[in-house]
Amino acid sequence: MVYSENELVFCVNCKKEIENIKKQGVMTKEELLLVKHPQKVFQVNYPIKKDDGTIEIITAYRVQYNLNLGPGKGGIRFHQDVDLDEVSELAFGMMLKTSVTDLPFGGAKGGVRINPKNYSKSELEKISRGYVRELFNAVGPTKDVPAPDVNTNPQIMSWMLDEYEKIAGEKSPAFITGKPISDGGSEGRDKSTAMGGFYILGEEYADVEDKSSICVAIQGFGNAGSVMAELLYNDGYKVVAISDSSCALYDKNGLNIPKILEKTYKDGSKIARLDSLDLEKITNEELLELDVDLLVPAALGGVINSQNADNIKAPIVLELANGPVLPDAEQILEAKGTRIIPGLIANSGGVIVSYFEWDQNLKGEHWTLEEVNTKLKDRIIGAFSKIKDLAQKENLSLRKAANKIAIKRVIDKADIN
Ligand code: NAD
């Protein structure tokens, strides 16, 4: 195979992520060559009959970016803009995440190109079942294990599992994760992403006796951000700012998170937005620039960029969201000594507990919440320690060290004839 330094054009485009890692200098030419293409790419187009009797063709994707470490693992998102490039990019990210956390999985991702708001429940069920029928031969407990992602949920996983088991003619709960507990889902999956990040912070601040001396701002109050706020509050940290898409709340003496949760979000379902509360409001932009000890972006990608990086004062940023710090902002932050705990490890709690769900299903077990959290803590702290050790040994940022470990593990298992 001929490799050219400038040959970064792919049939399926995963340029951005690979370019970023390439710039970090943590990949050799040979490693780059081995990960620059997704291994398996599927596009399917299938008809469903809508409630009004009309027929619609649904376009959907599954990309198994790399299967060197085991079956593919990655969510399925329902979104009107989803395309092969995006799914491929996300599958590449999953490959790095499963690798750095030492899971026996490769990286995969799926997408269905629809706006779910435009479909009834029964139409969504047909779309979900159709996805599994079309991709049945490519997925399965030992081939590729899907999970929820943007706009998909335990109900959709449940329909997909049912369809898979009907075709397979046998019970096969390990086919998919993020299921309802009644279908073989795991305890702790709902809070696992924040829980993983929380354990990492426990390591970061292991020497701090009085956690109330640590002021925290959290952007995003959804599944990841609100759980993180609650965990930190209960552990004694001073959470001074939180936000959702409506506004940010600020109290320099610390917010009463349980009270806010009581008034806004119950059992994970949003019943009011933060701007409905009678508390001091600031903007989301101001929240990011607060003079705090710890900043946790837990909403959108790209919120810390070249425009605001100079104004970020927190010495530690924990990426609970995917990609909140853009590469050009990272350079600015690095130059002033900000420690960025990359999403690859910081938000990997979700995929780790997905792995536990698959493992329990294969063994016919159901672990207690305590067992799940103990195992999560061991695994995420173990992976984080390896990243820190390499970063220190080779004088790398945590992100570069994480990427280097992830790529190496994938390449070491490459099957080259
Ligand atoms: P979510 O939809 O439950 O919550 C998102 C939150 O962000 C909401 O509170 C929303 O109001 C807020 N938000 C939206 N736009 C905003 C804006 N412009 N400014 C401030 N806040 C805004 O999503 P989630 O599951 O909590 O995921 C949040 C991030 O974490 C995403 O980047 C996601 O990819 C990442 N992540 C989540 C998981 C998981 O298991 N939930 C796992 C890994 C990574």
Side-chain angles (χ1 to χ4, degrees):
M1 237 180 305
V2 182
Y3 166 76
S4 128
E5 181 71 15
N6 298 320
E7 190 211 336
L8 277 170
V9 182
F10 312 102
C11 54
V12 171
N13 188 344
C14 188
K15 260 192 287 196
K16 240 178 13 197
E17 264 296 319
I18 292 187
E19 270 295 357
N20 288 340
I21 297 185
K22 193 177 167 219
K23 277 190 202 141
Q24 291 170 9
V26 296
M27 264 196 289
T28 63
K29 274 186 180 183
E30 191 176 57
E31 285 173 339
L32 175 60
L33 178 66
L34 288 168
V35 298
K36 64 188 277 202
H37 296 290
Q39 276 180 1
K40 296 187 185 182
V41 176
F42 303 91
Q43 174 172 338
V44 291
N45 302 291
Y46 55 94
I48 61 147
K49 191 176 267 182
K50 296 188 74 181
D51 295 346
D52 64 4
T54 56
I55 305 263
E56 184 177 328
I57 302 295
I58 302 295
T59 296
Y61 313 98
R62 187 75 186 167
V63 173
Q64 294 163 352
Y65 199 91
N66 189 290
L67 304 173
N68 292 359
L69 299 174
K73 186 89 199 80
I76 300 170
R77 62 177 51 188
F78 285 4
H79 197 279
Q80 62 276 18
D81 296 332
V82 89
D83 61 17
L84 262 186
D85 286 351
E86 180 184 338
V87 176
S88 185
E89 192 102 36
L90 293 163
F92 179 81
M94 284 305 297
M95 173 193 81
L96 297 178
K97 200 174 279 188
T98 53
S99 178
V100 83
T101 46
D102 210 10
L103 302 179
F105 284 131
K109 205 81 178 187
V112 181
R113 198 175 165 83
I114 56 158
N115 180 349
K117 290 194 186 111
N118 297 340
Y119 297 86
S120 69
K121 192 174 172 192
S122 72
E123 290 167 345
L124 287 174
E125 179 172 353
K126 287 180 186 175
I127 291 168
S128 306
R129 289 182 182 276
Y131 186 90
V132 172
R133 272 200 306 278
E134 294 300 318
L135 290 163
F136 181 79
N137 288 323
V139 294
T142 58
K143 291 180 181 168
D144 184 3
V145 182
D149 196 74
V150 174
N151 292 330
T152 52
N153 53 35
Q155 170 66 80
I156 289 175
M157 299 305 107
S158 192
W159 289 327
M160 289 185 167
L161 174 61
D162 187 59
E163 191 65 26
Y164 184 87
E165 291 180 334
K166 273 189 182 142
I167 302 171
E170 60 185 17
K171 284 279 164 208
S172 192
F175 155 58
I176 205 160
T177 62
K179 305 177 287 289
I181 300 240
S182 55
D183 285 344
S186 179
E187 303 291 340
R189 173 63 187 92
D190 49 345
K191 298 192 172 181
S192 54
T193 299
M195 191 61 92
F198 172 72
Y199 288 139
I200 285 179
L201 291 175
E203 280 290 294
E204 277 297 284
Y205 295 115
D207 297 337
V208 180
E209 263 177 36
D210 179 13
K211 295 281 195 297
S212 69
S213 65
I214 302 168
C215 288
V216 191
I218 302 174
Q219 187 191 47
F221 206 59
N223 183 286
S226 70
V227 176
M228 178 58 103
E230 192 176 24
L231 290 168
L232 291 176
Y233 177 91
N234 290 341
D235 203 36
Y237 291 75
K238 192 189 286 183
V239 181
V240 295
I242 58 167
S243 71
D244 65 9
S245 56
S246 70
C247 74
L249 302 179
Y250 175 66
D251 184 341
K252 68 175 186 336
N253 298 315
L255 293 159
N256 186 330
I257 300 298
K259 222 172 181 171
I260 293 172
L261 280 168
E262 174 75 15
K263 289 195 171 150
T264 53
Y265 299 79
K266 253 186 186 153
D267 303 329
S269 61
K270 194 151 58 162
I271 57 171
R273 299 181 342 158
L274 295 179
D275 61 3
S276 66
L277 301 181
D278 191 17
L279 289 164
E280 182 186 340
K281 306 210 166 52
I282 57 172
T283 64
N284 259 294
E285 291 69 35
E286 286 168 331
L287 175 143
L288 293 171
E289 298 174 11
L290 284 173
D291 191 2
V292 288
D293 303 294
L294 168 66
L295 176 62
V296 182
L300 309 170
V303 291
I304 302 177
N305 45 52
S306 55
Q307 261 94 62
N308 63 0
D310 255 338
N311 303 329
I312 304 293
K313 298 176 194 69
I316 300 184
V317 177
L318 179 100
E319 290 188 327
L320 210 53
N322 278 320
V325 180
L326 292 183
D328 45 359
E330 177 131 2
Q331 282 182 0
I332 299 169
L333 292 177
E334 257 185 45
K336 60 179 182 178
T338 310
R339 184 170 167 86
I340 302 169
I341 305 177
L344 211 51
I345 185 73
N347 67 31
S348 66
V351 73
I352 292 175
V353 175
S354 274
Y355 159 61
F356 295 157
E357 182 175 331
W358 176 80
D359 198 24
Q360 289 170 79
N361 295 154
L362 288 179
K363 293 174 176 155
E365 296 176 357
H366 187 80
W367 305 343
T368 64
L369 179 60
E370 205 185 350
E371 277 176 280
V372 169
N373 282 339
T374 305
K375 286 176 200 277
L376 168 60
K377 186 173 181 183
D378 283 354
R379 185 166 288 264
I380 204 162
I381 296 297
F384 186 47
S385 300
K386 282 187 192 154
I387 295 168
K388 283 195 297 186
D389 289 350
L390 183 70
Q392 196 167 20
K393 193 169 143 216
E394 299 192 6
N395 194 24
L396 298 171
S397 68
L398 292 173
R399 192 185 310 279
K400 287 181 189 167
N403 286 339
K404 193 166 179 176
I405 290 170
I407 297 274
K408 184 173 183 326
R409 189 162 171 257
V410 170
I411 302 295
D412 282 351
K413 287 276 169 122
D415 192 5
I416 305 169
N417 289 314

